[in-house]
Short mmCIF file of all heavy atoms in Angstrom, two decimals:
data_model
loop_
_atom_site.label_atom_id
_atom_site.label_comp_id
_atom_site.label_asym_id
_atom_site.label_seq_id
_atom_site.Cartn_x
_atom_site.Cartn_y
_atom_site.Cartn_z
N MET N 1 28.70 -5.14 -1.56
CA MET N 1 28.29 -3.75 -1.48
C MET N 1 28.40 -3.03 -2.87
O MET N 1 27.60 -2.25 -3.17
CB MET N 1 29.12 -2.99 -0.46
CG MET N 1 28.63 -1.63 -0.15
SD MET N 1 27.01 -1.72 0.64
CE MET N 1 26.84 -0.11 1.19
N ASN N 2 29.38 -3.37 -3.65
CA ASN N 2 29.60 -2.77 -4.93
C ASN N 2 28.41 -3.10 -5.91
O ASN N 2 28.07 -2.30 -6.73
CB ASN N 2 30.89 -3.20 -5.58
CG ASN N 2 32.06 -2.55 -4.88
OD1 ASN N 2 31.95 -1.45 -4.26
ND2 ASN N 2 33.24 -3.18 -4.97
N LYS N 3 27.89 -4.29 -5.78
CA LYS N 3 26.74 -4.70 -6.62
C LYS N 3 25.57 -3.80 -6.33
O LYS N 3 24.84 -3.37 -7.23
CB LYS N 3 26.35 -6.14 -6.36
CG LYS N 3 27.39 -7.15 -6.85
CD LYS N 3 26.94 -8.55 -6.59
CE LYS N 3 28.01 -9.53 -6.90
NZ LYS N 3 27.57 -10.88 -6.55
N ALA N 4 25.29 -3.55 -5.02
CA ALA N 4 24.15 -2.67 -4.68
C ALA N 4 24.36 -1.25 -5.13
O ALA N 4 23.43 -0.65 -5.65
CB ALA N 4 23.97 -2.72 -3.17
N ILE N 5 25.58 -0.74 -5.12
CA ILE N 5 25.84 0.60 -5.55
C ILE N 5 25.67 0.70 -7.10
O ILE N 5 25.05 1.60 -7.58
CB ILE N 5 27.21 1.09 -5.11
CG1 ILE N 5 27.25 1.30 -3.60
CG2 ILE N 5 27.63 2.38 -5.84
CD1 ILE N 5 28.62 1.56 -3.00
N HIS N 6 26.18 -0.28 -7.76
CA HIS N 6 26.00 -0.38 -9.22
C HIS N 6 24.57 -0.46 -9.59
O HIS N 6 24.10 0.19 -10.60
CB HIS N 6 26.80 -1.54 -9.74
CG HIS N 6 26.70 -1.69 -11.27
ND1 HIS N 6 27.19 -0.76 -12.18
CD2 HIS N 6 26.12 -2.66 -12.01
CE1 HIS N 6 26.95 -1.12 -13.36
NE2 HIS N 6 26.31 -2.31 -13.31
N TYR N 7 23.76 -1.28 -8.89
CA TYR N 7 22.36 -1.37 -9.09
C TYR N 7 21.65 -0.03 -8.89
O TYR N 7 20.84 0.35 -9.77
CB TYR N 7 21.75 -2.37 -8.17
CG TYR N 7 20.25 -2.49 -8.28
CD1 TYR N 7 19.62 -3.07 -9.32
CD2 TYR N 7 19.45 -2.03 -7.23
CE1 TYR N 7 18.21 -3.13 -9.41
CE2 TYR N 7 18.08 -2.09 -7.31
CZ TYR N 7 17.52 -2.66 -8.39
OH TYR N 7 16.15 -2.71 -8.42
N LEU N 8 22.00 0.67 -7.84
CA LEU N 8 21.27 1.98 -7.61
C LEU N 8 21.67 2.99 -8.69
O LEU N 8 20.79 3.77 -9.04
CB LEU N 8 21.74 2.49 -6.20
CG LEU N 8 21.16 1.68 -5.10
CD1 LEU N 8 21.73 2.22 -3.74
CD2 LEU N 8 19.65 1.70 -5.00
N LYS N 9 22.92 3.00 -9.13
CA LYS N 9 23.27 3.89 -10.18
C LYS N 9 22.56 3.55 -11.49
O LYS N 9 22.21 4.52 -12.21
CB LYS N 9 24.77 3.85 -10.40
CG LYS N 9 25.53 4.57 -9.31
CD LYS N 9 27.05 4.54 -9.58
CE LYS N 9 27.81 5.22 -8.49
NZ LYS N 9 29.30 5.20 -8.71
N SER N 10 22.38 2.30 -11.77
CA SER N 10 21.71 1.98 -13.03
C SER N 10 20.15 2.28 -12.97
O SER N 10 19.57 2.38 -14.02
CB SER N 10 21.91 0.49 -13.37
OG SER N 10 21.24 -0.35 -12.43
N ARG N 11 19.60 2.37 -11.79
CA ARG N 11 18.13 2.61 -11.67
C ARG N 11 17.82 4.03 -11.22
O ARG N 11 16.75 4.37 -10.82
CB ARG N 11 17.59 1.69 -10.56
CG ARG N 11 17.78 0.23 -10.86
CD ARG N 11 16.53 -0.46 -11.20
NE ARG N 11 15.44 -0.03 -10.31
CZ ARG N 11 14.20 -0.27 -10.59
NH1 ARG N 11 13.90 -0.92 -11.66
NH2 ARG N 11 13.26 0.15 -9.81
N LYS N 12 18.80 4.96 -11.30
CA LYS N 12 18.56 6.31 -10.85
C LYS N 12 17.41 6.99 -11.51
O LYS N 12 16.55 7.60 -10.86
CB LYS N 12 19.86 7.13 -11.13
CG LYS N 12 19.87 8.55 -10.56
CD LYS N 12 21.13 9.20 -11.00
CE LYS N 12 21.73 9.94 -9.82
NZ LYS N 12 22.97 10.67 -10.17
N LYS N 13 17.26 6.87 -12.82
CA LYS N 13 16.16 7.52 -13.53
C LYS N 13 14.85 6.91 -13.13
O LYS N 13 13.81 7.59 -12.93
CB LYS N 13 16.40 7.31 -15.05
CG LYS N 13 15.38 8.05 -15.89
CD LYS N 13 15.78 7.89 -17.36
CE LYS N 13 14.88 8.71 -18.25
NZ LYS N 13 15.28 8.57 -19.66
N SER N 14 14.79 5.60 -12.90
CA SER N 14 13.60 4.92 -12.48
C SER N 14 13.15 5.40 -11.08
O SER N 14 11.90 5.52 -10.86
CB SER N 14 13.81 3.42 -12.46
OG SER N 14 12.66 2.75 -11.97
N TYR N 15 14.10 5.69 -10.19
CA TYR N 15 13.72 6.20 -8.88
C TYR N 15 13.00 7.55 -8.95
O TYR N 15 12.02 7.81 -8.22
CB TYR N 15 14.91 6.31 -7.98
CG TYR N 15 15.38 4.95 -7.37
CD1 TYR N 15 16.64 4.52 -7.57
CD2 TYR N 15 14.49 4.18 -6.64
CE1 TYR N 15 17.05 3.29 -7.08
CE2 TYR N 15 14.89 2.95 -6.16
CZ TYR N 15 16.17 2.57 -6.33
OH TYR N 15 16.58 1.38 -5.82
N VAL N 16 13.47 8.40 -9.81
CA VAL N 16 12.93 9.72 -9.97
C VAL N 16 11.52 9.60 -10.48
O VAL N 16 10.55 10.25 -9.99
CB VAL N 16 13.75 10.63 -10.88
CG1 VAL N 16 13.04 11.93 -11.13
CG2 VAL N 16 15.12 10.89 -10.28
N ILE N 17 11.28 8.76 -11.50
CA ILE N 17 9.94 8.58 -12.02
C ILE N 17 9.03 7.91 -11.03
O ILE N 17 7.89 8.34 -10.83
CB ILE N 17 10.06 7.70 -13.32
CG1 ILE N 17 10.72 8.50 -14.42
CG2 ILE N 17 8.68 7.31 -13.79
CD1 ILE N 17 11.14 7.66 -15.62
N ASN N 18 9.45 6.92 -10.34
CA ASN N 18 8.64 6.24 -9.32
C ASN N 18 8.29 7.10 -8.15
O ASN N 18 7.18 7.06 -7.65
CB ASN N 18 9.36 4.92 -8.83
CG ASN N 18 9.28 3.82 -9.84
OD1 ASN N 18 8.50 3.89 -10.77
ND2 ASN N 18 10.25 2.91 -9.70
N THR N 19 9.26 7.99 -7.72
CA THR N 19 8.97 8.90 -6.64
C THR N 19 7.87 9.89 -7.08
O THR N 19 6.92 10.21 -6.32
CB THR N 19 10.21 9.66 -6.24
OG1 THR N 19 11.25 8.72 -5.87
CG2 THR N 19 9.98 10.59 -5.07
N PHE N 20 7.99 10.39 -8.30
CA PHE N 20 6.98 11.32 -8.83
C PHE N 20 5.63 10.64 -8.84
O PHE N 20 4.60 11.23 -8.43
CB PHE N 20 7.35 11.80 -10.19
CG PHE N 20 6.38 12.68 -10.86
CD1 PHE N 20 6.13 13.97 -10.39
CD2 PHE N 20 5.60 12.21 -11.89
CE1 PHE N 20 5.18 14.73 -11.03
CE2 PHE N 20 4.62 12.95 -12.50
CZ PHE N 20 4.42 14.26 -12.06
N LEU N 21 5.55 9.41 -9.33
CA LEU N 21 4.26 8.65 -9.43
C LEU N 21 3.71 8.36 -8.05
O LEU N 21 2.50 8.46 -7.84
CB LEU N 21 4.46 7.38 -10.22
CG LEU N 21 4.71 7.57 -11.75
CD1 LEU N 21 5.06 6.22 -12.33
CD2 LEU N 21 3.54 8.24 -12.39
N PHE N 22 4.62 8.07 -7.08
CA PHE N 22 4.17 7.73 -5.71
C PHE N 22 3.51 8.99 -5.09
O PHE N 22 2.40 8.91 -4.56
CB PHE N 22 5.44 7.36 -4.91
CG PHE N 22 5.14 7.24 -3.40
CD1 PHE N 22 4.53 6.10 -2.92
CD2 PHE N 22 5.57 8.22 -2.55
CE1 PHE N 22 4.33 5.95 -1.62
CE2 PHE N 22 5.33 8.11 -1.23
CZ PHE N 22 4.69 6.97 -0.77
N ILE N 23 4.13 10.21 -5.27
CA ILE N 23 3.59 11.38 -4.65
C ILE N 23 2.32 11.79 -5.34
O ILE N 23 1.30 12.16 -4.69
CB ILE N 23 4.65 12.52 -4.69
CG1 ILE N 23 5.78 12.17 -3.72
CG2 ILE N 23 4.03 13.88 -4.34
CD1 ILE N 23 7.00 13.08 -3.88
N THR N 24 2.31 11.71 -6.67
CA THR N 24 1.10 12.04 -7.40
C THR N 24 -0.06 11.08 -7.04
O THR N 24 -1.18 11.55 -6.82
CB THR N 24 1.38 11.94 -8.92
OG1 THR N 24 2.47 12.78 -9.26
CG2 THR N 24 0.17 12.42 -9.74
N GLY N 25 0.21 9.79 -6.95
CA GLY N 25 -0.83 8.87 -6.57
C GLY N 25 -1.41 9.12 -5.19
O GLY N 25 -2.60 9.01 -4.97
N PHE N 26 -0.55 9.46 -4.23
CA PHE N 26 -0.94 9.72 -2.90
C PHE N 26 -1.87 10.97 -2.87
O PHE N 26 -2.88 10.98 -2.19
CB PHE N 26 0.27 9.96 -2.00
CG PHE N 26 -0.05 9.99 -0.53
CD1 PHE N 26 -0.48 8.85 0.12
CD2 PHE N 26 0.15 11.16 0.17
CE1 PHE N 26 -0.78 8.90 1.40
CE2 PHE N 26 -0.11 11.15 1.54
CZ PHE N 26 -0.63 10.04 2.15
N ILE N 27 -1.49 11.98 -3.62
CA ILE N 27 -2.33 13.21 -3.64
C ILE N 27 -3.68 12.92 -4.28
O ILE N 27 -4.72 13.34 -3.79
CB ILE N 27 -1.58 14.34 -4.38
CG1 ILE N 27 -0.40 14.81 -3.52
CG2 ILE N 27 -2.48 15.52 -4.67
CD1 ILE N 27 0.55 15.73 -4.23
N VAL N 28 -3.73 12.10 -5.35
CA VAL N 28 -5.00 11.77 -6.04
C VAL N 28 -5.87 10.98 -5.09
O VAL N 28 -7.07 11.19 -4.94
CB VAL N 28 -4.70 10.98 -7.34
CG1 VAL N 28 -5.94 10.34 -7.88
CG2 VAL N 28 -4.06 11.88 -8.41
N VAL N 29 -5.29 10.08 -4.37
CA VAL N 29 -6.05 9.27 -3.43
C VAL N 29 -6.63 10.10 -2.29
O VAL N 29 -7.78 9.93 -1.92
CB VAL N 29 -5.22 8.09 -2.84
CG1 VAL N 29 -5.92 7.44 -1.68
CG2 VAL N 29 -4.88 7.07 -3.93
N ILE N 30 -5.87 11.08 -1.84
CA ILE N 30 -6.40 12.00 -0.83
C ILE N 30 -7.56 12.80 -1.35
O ILE N 30 -8.53 13.00 -0.64
CB ILE N 30 -5.26 12.92 -0.28
CG1 ILE N 30 -4.34 12.10 0.59
CG2 ILE N 30 -5.83 14.05 0.52
CD1 ILE N 30 -3.08 12.87 1.02
N PHE N 31 -7.44 13.29 -2.58
CA PHE N 31 -8.55 14.08 -3.14
C PHE N 31 -9.80 13.20 -3.43
O PHE N 31 -10.93 13.67 -3.27
CB PHE N 31 -8.16 14.69 -4.49
CG PHE N 31 -7.32 15.96 -4.31
CD1 PHE N 31 -6.12 16.10 -5.00
CD2 PHE N 31 -7.71 16.94 -3.45
CE1 PHE N 31 -5.35 17.27 -4.80
CE2 PHE N 31 -6.99 18.12 -3.31
CZ PHE N 31 -5.83 18.25 -4.03
N LEU N 32 -9.61 11.90 -3.80
CA LEU N 32 -10.75 11.04 -4.01
C LEU N 32 -11.47 10.61 -2.76
O LEU N 32 -12.67 10.58 -2.66
CB LEU N 32 -10.25 9.81 -4.84
CG LEU N 32 -9.86 10.07 -6.26
CD1 LEU N 32 -9.41 8.80 -6.92
CD2 LEU N 32 -11.07 10.60 -7.08
N PHE N 33 -10.67 10.13 -1.73
CA PHE N 33 -11.31 9.57 -0.56
C PHE N 33 -11.23 10.43 0.66
O PHE N 33 -11.78 10.08 1.67
CB PHE N 33 -10.53 8.22 -0.24
CG PHE N 33 -10.69 7.26 -1.35
CD1 PHE N 33 -9.57 6.89 -2.13
CD2 PHE N 33 -11.91 6.60 -1.62
CE1 PHE N 33 -9.68 5.93 -3.13
CE2 PHE N 33 -12.02 5.68 -2.57
CZ PHE N 33 -10.91 5.34 -3.36
N GLY N 34 -10.61 11.61 0.54
CA GLY N 34 -10.49 12.46 1.67
C GLY N 34 -9.23 12.12 2.48
O GLY N 34 -8.69 11.02 2.32
N PRO N 35 -8.81 13.03 3.32
CA PRO N 35 -7.58 12.79 4.10
C PRO N 35 -7.83 11.73 5.15
O PRO N 35 -8.88 11.62 5.79
CB PRO N 35 -7.30 14.13 4.76
CG PRO N 35 -8.61 14.87 4.74
CD PRO N 35 -9.37 14.36 3.56
N PRO N 36 -6.88 10.87 5.37
CA PRO N 36 -6.97 9.81 6.37
C PRO N 36 -6.83 10.43 7.77
O PRO N 36 -6.25 11.52 7.92
CB PRO N 36 -5.83 8.85 6.05
CG PRO N 36 -4.86 9.62 5.29
CD PRO N 36 -5.58 10.70 4.59
N LYS N 37 -7.25 9.67 8.79
CA LYS N 37 -7.13 10.20 10.15
C LYS N 37 -5.62 10.19 10.58
O LYS N 37 -5.19 11.09 11.26
CB LYS N 37 -7.90 9.36 11.10
CG LYS N 37 -9.38 9.50 10.96
CD LYS N 37 -10.06 8.65 12.00
CE LYS N 37 -11.62 8.81 11.82
NZ LYS N 37 -12.38 7.97 12.77
N HIS N 38 -4.92 9.17 10.14
CA HIS N 38 -3.48 9.01 10.49
C HIS N 38 -2.70 8.80 9.20
O HIS N 38 -2.98 7.83 8.50
CB HIS N 38 -3.24 7.88 11.41
CG HIS N 38 -4.11 7.96 12.67
ND1 HIS N 38 -3.82 8.84 13.64
CD2 HIS N 38 -5.21 7.29 13.03
CE1 HIS N 38 -4.68 8.69 14.65
NE2 HIS N 38 -5.60 7.74 14.26
N TYR N 39 -1.86 9.69 8.88
CA TYR N 39 -1.11 9.62 7.59
C TYR N 39 0.00 8.55 7.63
O TYR N 39 0.45 8.08 6.63
CB TYR N 39 -0.46 10.94 7.25
CG TYR N 39 -1.42 11.95 6.67
CD1 TYR N 39 -2.10 12.83 7.44
CD2 TYR N 39 -1.70 11.92 5.28
CE1 TYR N 39 -3.02 13.76 6.93
CE2 TYR N 39 -2.60 12.77 4.78
CZ TYR N 39 -3.23 13.66 5.56
OH TYR N 39 -4.10 14.60 5.04
N ILE N 40 0.39 8.11 8.85
CA ILE N 40 1.51 7.17 8.97
C ILE N 40 1.20 5.82 8.39
O ILE N 40 2.04 5.17 7.83
CB ILE N 40 1.99 7.10 10.46
CG1 ILE N 40 3.32 6.38 10.54
CG2 ILE N 40 0.95 6.42 11.25
CD1 ILE N 40 4.48 7.25 10.07
N VAL N 41 -0.07 5.37 8.54
CA VAL N 41 -0.41 4.03 8.08
C VAL N 41 -0.30 3.88 6.52
O VAL N 41 0.35 2.98 6.00
CB VAL N 41 -1.76 3.60 8.57
CG1 VAL N 41 -2.20 2.28 7.98
CG2 VAL N 41 -1.77 3.53 10.10
N PRO N 42 -0.95 4.78 5.73
CA PRO N 42 -0.83 4.62 4.27
C PRO N 42 0.61 4.89 3.77
O PRO N 42 1.09 4.19 2.87
CB PRO N 42 -1.81 5.67 3.72
CG PRO N 42 -2.12 6.57 4.83
CD PRO N 42 -1.90 5.86 6.07
N ILE N 43 1.29 5.80 4.44
CA ILE N 43 2.68 6.06 3.95
C ILE N 43 3.61 4.89 4.21
O ILE N 43 4.33 4.46 3.41
CB ILE N 43 3.19 7.35 4.65
CG1 ILE N 43 2.42 8.56 4.11
CG2 ILE N 43 4.69 7.49 4.46
CD1 ILE N 43 2.76 9.89 4.81
N LEU N 44 3.45 4.28 5.47
CA LEU N 44 4.32 3.13 5.75
C LEU N 44 3.95 1.89 4.89
O LEU N 44 4.85 1.17 4.43
CB LEU N 44 4.21 2.80 7.23
CG LEU N 44 5.06 3.70 8.22
CD1 LEU N 44 4.82 3.21 9.62
CD2 LEU N 44 6.48 3.68 7.86
N SER N 45 2.67 1.73 4.59
CA SER N 45 2.32 0.60 3.79
C SER N 45 2.83 0.74 2.39
O SER N 45 3.29 -0.22 1.76
CB SER N 45 0.82 0.43 3.82
OG SER N 45 0.12 1.51 3.23
N MET N 46 2.79 1.99 1.82
CA MET N 46 3.32 2.16 0.52
C MET N 46 4.83 2.04 0.45
O MET N 46 5.38 1.45 -0.51
CB MET N 46 2.88 3.55 -0.02
CG MET N 46 1.42 3.59 -0.43
SD MET N 46 0.95 5.11 -1.24
CE MET N 46 0.71 6.17 0.09
N ILE N 47 5.51 2.45 1.47
CA ILE N 47 6.97 2.32 1.52
C ILE N 47 7.31 0.84 1.62
O ILE N 47 8.29 0.42 0.94
CB ILE N 47 7.53 3.14 2.72
CG1 ILE N 47 7.45 4.61 2.41
CG2 ILE N 47 8.98 2.78 2.98
CD1 ILE N 47 7.82 5.54 3.58
N VAL N 48 6.63 0.11 2.46
CA VAL N 48 6.93 -1.36 2.59
C VAL N 48 6.66 -2.06 1.32
O VAL N 48 7.48 -2.89 0.85
CB VAL N 48 6.13 -1.93 3.80
CG1 VAL N 48 6.22 -3.46 3.79
CG2 VAL N 48 6.68 -1.36 5.08
N SER N 49 5.55 -1.78 0.66
CA SER N 49 5.23 -2.46 -0.55
C SER N 49 6.20 -2.09 -1.71
O SER N 49 6.63 -2.95 -2.45
CB SER N 49 3.79 -2.15 -1.00
OG SER N 49 3.65 -0.78 -1.25
N TYR N 50 6.63 -0.83 -1.75
CA TYR N 50 7.56 -0.42 -2.74
C TYR N 50 8.94 -1.06 -2.48
O TYR N 50 9.67 -1.46 -3.38
CB TYR N 50 7.71 1.12 -2.77
CG TYR N 50 8.67 1.58 -3.82
CD1 TYR N 50 8.35 1.56 -5.15
CD2 TYR N 50 9.91 2.10 -3.48
CE1 TYR N 50 9.20 2.04 -6.10
CE2 TYR N 50 10.74 2.58 -4.42
CZ TYR N 50 10.42 2.53 -5.73
OH TYR N 50 11.25 2.98 -6.70
N GLY N 51 9.31 -1.14 -1.16
CA GLY N 51 10.53 -1.86 -0.81
C GLY N 51 10.54 -3.31 -1.18
O GLY N 51 11.55 -3.86 -1.64
N PHE N 52 9.45 -3.99 -1.04
CA PHE N 52 9.30 -5.35 -1.41
C PHE N 52 9.55 -5.52 -2.92
O PHE N 52 10.22 -6.45 -3.40
CB PHE N 52 8.01 -5.93 -0.95
CG PHE N 52 7.84 -7.40 -1.35
CD1 PHE N 52 8.52 -8.41 -0.75
CD2 PHE N 52 6.98 -7.75 -2.42
CE1 PHE N 52 8.40 -9.71 -1.08
CE2 PHE N 52 6.72 -9.00 -2.78
CZ PHE N 52 7.48 -10.03 -2.13
N VAL N 53 8.86 -4.72 -3.69
CA VAL N 53 8.99 -4.73 -5.14
C VAL N 53 10.42 -4.46 -5.56
O VAL N 53 11.00 -5.11 -6.47
CB VAL N 53 7.96 -3.72 -5.79
CG1 VAL N 53 8.35 -3.54 -7.26
CG2 VAL N 53 6.57 -4.16 -5.62
N GLU N 54 11.08 -3.53 -4.94
CA GLU N 54 12.43 -3.17 -5.24
C GLU N 54 13.38 -4.32 -4.88
O GLU N 54 14.35 -4.58 -5.63
CB GLU N 54 12.79 -1.96 -4.46
CG GLU N 54 14.07 -1.23 -5.01
CD GLU N 54 13.90 -0.83 -6.44
OE1 GLU N 54 12.83 -0.33 -6.86
OE2 GLU N 54 14.86 -1.04 -7.20
N LEU N 55 13.12 -5.04 -3.79
CA LEU N 55 13.97 -6.20 -3.45
C LEU N 55 13.84 -7.32 -4.47
O LEU N 55 14.86 -7.89 -4.87
CB LEU N 55 13.48 -6.75 -2.04
CG LEU N 55 14.23 -8.00 -1.56
CD1 LEU N 55 15.70 -7.67 -1.33
CD2 LEU N 55 13.53 -8.49 -0.36
N VAL N 56 12.65 -7.59 -4.97
CA VAL N 56 12.39 -8.59 -5.97
C VAL N 56 13.13 -8.12 -7.25
O VAL N 56 13.80 -8.97 -7.92
CB VAL N 56 10.96 -8.85 -6.24
CG1 VAL N 56 10.67 -9.69 -7.42
CG2 VAL N 56 10.29 -9.43 -4.97
N THR N 57 13.07 -6.87 -7.64
CA THR N 57 13.72 -6.40 -8.85
C THR N 57 15.21 -6.47 -8.70
O THR N 57 15.88 -6.82 -9.63
CB THR N 57 13.34 -4.90 -9.09
OG1 THR N 57 11.89 -4.78 -9.06
CG2 THR N 57 13.85 -4.44 -10.42
N TYR N 58 15.72 -6.20 -7.58
CA TYR N 58 17.22 -6.25 -7.36
C TYR N 58 17.70 -7.74 -7.44
O TYR N 58 18.69 -7.96 -8.07
CB TYR N 58 17.59 -5.71 -5.91
CG TYR N 58 18.99 -5.96 -5.58
CD1 TYR N 58 20.03 -5.25 -6.21
CD2 TYR N 58 19.36 -6.86 -4.58
CE1 TYR N 58 21.32 -5.43 -5.94
CE2 TYR N 58 20.67 -7.10 -4.27
CZ TYR N 58 21.68 -6.38 -4.92
OH TYR N 58 22.98 -6.54 -4.64
N ARG N 59 16.95 -8.61 -6.87
CA ARG N 59 17.36 -10.02 -7.01
C ARG N 59 17.37 -10.54 -8.46
O ARG N 59 18.27 -11.27 -8.85
CB ARG N 59 16.48 -10.95 -6.17
CG ARG N 59 16.75 -10.73 -4.68
CD ARG N 59 15.97 -11.72 -3.82
NE ARG N 59 16.29 -11.50 -2.45
CZ ARG N 59 15.98 -12.36 -1.51
NH1 ARG N 59 15.24 -13.45 -1.83
NH2 ARG N 59 16.29 -12.12 -0.28
N SER N 60 16.39 -10.13 -9.24
CA SER N 60 16.32 -10.52 -10.61
C SER N 60 17.44 -9.90 -11.40
O SER N 60 18.05 -10.45 -12.24
CB SER N 60 14.97 -10.26 -11.23
OG SER N 60 14.72 -8.88 -11.35
N TRP N 61 17.76 -8.60 -11.08
CA TRP N 61 18.84 -7.86 -11.76
C TRP N 61 20.18 -8.57 -11.42
O TRP N 61 20.98 -8.65 -12.28
CB TRP N 61 18.83 -6.39 -11.25
CG TRP N 61 19.95 -5.59 -11.79
CD1 TRP N 61 20.05 -4.96 -13.01
CD2 TRP N 61 21.24 -5.37 -11.18
NE1 TRP N 61 21.23 -4.38 -13.15
CE2 TRP N 61 22.01 -4.58 -12.04
CE3 TRP N 61 21.82 -5.79 -9.93
CZ2 TRP N 61 23.29 -4.17 -11.75
CZ3 TRP N 61 23.15 -5.38 -9.67
CH2 TRP N 61 23.84 -4.60 -10.54
N LYS N 62 20.34 -8.94 -10.17
CA LYS N 62 21.59 -9.57 -9.78
C LYS N 62 21.82 -10.91 -10.47
O LYS N 62 22.89 -11.21 -10.92
CB LYS N 62 21.58 -9.79 -8.28
CG LYS N 62 22.93 -10.19 -7.68
CD LYS N 62 23.01 -10.03 -6.20
CE LYS N 62 22.16 -11.02 -5.47
NZ LYS N 62 22.33 -11.07 -4.04
N LYS N 63 20.75 -11.69 -10.71
CA LYS N 63 20.89 -12.94 -11.43
C LYS N 63 21.22 -12.74 -12.86
O LYS N 63 22.03 -13.46 -13.42
CB LYS N 63 19.55 -13.68 -11.30
CG LYS N 63 19.29 -14.39 -10.00
CD LYS N 63 17.99 -15.13 -10.04
CE LYS N 63 17.67 -15.68 -8.71
NZ LYS N 63 16.40 -16.41 -8.68
N GLU N 64 20.69 -11.71 -13.49
CA GLU N 64 20.95 -11.38 -14.91
C GLU N 64 22.38 -10.83 -15.11
O GLU N 64 23.00 -11.18 -16.13
CB GLU N 64 19.91 -10.39 -15.49
CG GLU N 64 18.54 -10.97 -15.55
CD GLU N 64 17.53 -9.89 -15.95
OE1 GLU N 64 17.97 -8.76 -16.29
OE2 GLU N 64 16.39 -10.21 -16.04
N ASN N 65 22.81 -10.00 -14.28
CA ASN N 65 24.08 -9.30 -14.50
C ASN N 65 25.29 -9.86 -13.81
O ASN N 65 26.42 -9.50 -14.13
CB ASN N 65 23.98 -7.80 -14.13
CG ASN N 65 22.98 -7.10 -15.02
OD1 ASN N 65 22.86 -7.41 -16.16
ND2 ASN N 65 22.30 -6.12 -14.44
N HIS N 66 25.12 -10.70 -12.86
CA HIS N 66 26.29 -11.30 -12.13
C HIS N 66 26.17 -12.78 -11.93
O HIS N 66 25.28 -13.35 -11.56
CB HIS N 66 26.47 -10.60 -10.74
CG HIS N 66 26.82 -9.15 -10.97
ND1 HIS N 66 27.98 -8.76 -11.47
CD2 HIS N 66 26.11 -8.04 -10.73
CE1 HIS N 66 28.04 -7.41 -11.52
NE2 HIS N 66 26.86 -6.94 -11.06
#
């Protein structure tokens, strides 16, 4: 558990930047293609894909630092 907490603290700035880019990208896509019928599908798909990328990044960080 300590490794995960240390990882989250080291990536704090990255989370703020990624969250800003995520929200900005979502708004741009809505303006370009129009609002979707159901917002849950694109939001969940982006969260799942971001979570997968974060898992891969965490595993590589763990190999490098521990």
Side-chain angles (χ1 to χ4, degrees):
M1 189 66 167
N2 288 335
K3 291 179 187 178
I5 291 172
H6 180 64
Y7 173 74
L8 291 175
K9 286 182 181 178
S10 69
R11 300 250 319 164
K12 187 182 222 180
K13 187 175 185 180
S14 178
Y15 282 124
V16 173
I17 293 169
N18 286 338
T19 302
F20 175 74
L21 291 174
F22 172 79
I23 292 171
T24 305
F26 191 67
I27 291 171
V28 167
V29 168
I30 287 175
F31 281 130
L32 289 177
F33 298 110
K37 290 182 181 179
H38 305 284
Y39 282 93
I40 193 73
V41 174
I43 291 173
L44 282 180
S45 64
M46 286 189 278
I47 289 171
V48 168
S49 63
Y50 183 72
F52 178 73
V53 169
E54 198 58 42
L55 177 67
V56 170
T57 307
Y58 172 70
R59 287 186 178 191
S60 68
W61 175 85
K62 191 165 69 170
K63 285 181 184 178
E64 291 174 4
N65 293 331
H66 295 291

